[in-house]
Amino acid sequence: MAEAIQLRSVTKAYQRAGESLRVLDELDLTMAGGTFYALMGPSGSGKTTLLNLVGGLDHADSGAVLVGDVDLTRLDGGELAAWRAGNVGFVFQGFNLLPVLTARENVELPLQLTPLSRRQRRAQAERALQLVGLGDRLDHKPRELSGGQEQRVAIARAIATDPQVILADEPTGDLDRNTADAVLQLLQRLNRELGKTILMVTHDPQAAGYADKIIHLDKGKLGRIETNPGRG
């Protein structure tokens, strides 16, 4: 399967209290398209930083970050924003839904950056919500939804533009076990049935059990990569 994500000698450091803290240290990593990856490691190991680099939310200090055939390190801010709009979907632990908007309106937000008409945006948002099992909650606002339903809206928003890559940062961290499993099953379905490449940061071994492969990071360095023999 084609390579979807490549990091080549990627280094990233942050300044804290006048000192340089190297979060990723000449990291080399290749991920295949259409694969579900879990990214694990202790706090401070660079997991979220890696996710942000792959999503074009941050810039590497050195090295190359390629998603498909695009080297994100060569794009400026405006080019990165345009690239993100059509190529990557984000799912966060805190859902990040706007409370004053309905489920459909929240899902429509990333479509505002596309050339679709209002009617087309509405139809595409409804299709995404139907795909995640919320076709009957289109006009509900976040306060009218359960935590699991809110995360499903967030996933619908992530896939509304039909990106090939979905990045999830602790997507089940605020959910109970049963609700978390339902969300993970949905992510797994998007991978298996729609061929989405998924990179999920998690501390939870049970969540990682839904992935095809588990990548371990430690102090900005790549550890072992496990093939999951009994994925969820």
Side-chain angles (χ1 to χ4, degrees), residues 5 18 22 30 40 87 97 110 116 134 158 161 169 178:
I5 301 168
R22 185 171 286 197
T30 297
M40 302 191 75
N87 293 279
L97 302 178
L116 295 176
L134 290 178
T161 59
D169 195 356
N178 289 339

Side-chain angles (χ1 to χ4, degrees), residues 19-31:
E19 294 185 4
S20 179
L21 176 64
R22 185 171 286 197
V23 183
L24 296 177
D25 189 5
E26 296 188 1
L27 184 70
D28 288 299
L29 177 61
T30 297
M31 289 171 266

Side-chain angles (χ1 to χ4, degrees), residues 41-84:
S43 295
S45 59
K47 302 183 300 298
T48 295
T49 297
L50 190 158
L51 206 71
N52 289 341
L53 293 177
V54 171
L57 295 174
D58 204 350
H59 256 296
D61 295 331
S62 61
V65 179
L66 291 94
V67 181
D69 58 357
V70 177
D71 184 352
L72 303 187
T73 59
R74 297 181 178 274
L75 303 183
D76 64 24
E79 291 169 332
L80 273 174
W83 175 84
R84 281 195 304 269

Side-chain angles (χ1 to χ4, degrees), residues 150-227:
E150 285 187 89
Q151 192 60 296
R152 284 174 176 264
V153 173
I155 292 171
R157 181 183 57 195
I159 64 174
T161 59
D162 196 24
Q164 279 307 300
V165 177
I166 297 173
L167 303 176
D169 195 356
E170 297 281 2
T172 59
D174 287 344
L175 305 176
D176 63 72
R177 184 77 263 162
N178 289 339
T179 305
D181 285 338
V183 167
L184 290 162
Q185 288 163 10
L186 173 57
L187 289 174
Q188 193 177 65
R189 224 180 90 220
L190 294 173
N191 164 249
R192 292 180 178 180
E193 297 178 13
L194 300 182
K196 304 299 183 187
T197 302
I198 298 177
L199 178 57
M200 174 181 70
V201 167
T202 184
H203 284 96
D204 179 5
Q206 284 187 254
Y210 284 84
D212 301 315
K213 293 183 179 291
I214 303 172
I215 301 167
H216 293 269
L217 281 185
D218 190 15
K219 296 179 181 176
K221 294 280 192 180
L222 181 64
R224 67 190 187 280
I225 300 178
E226 302 175 87
T227 298

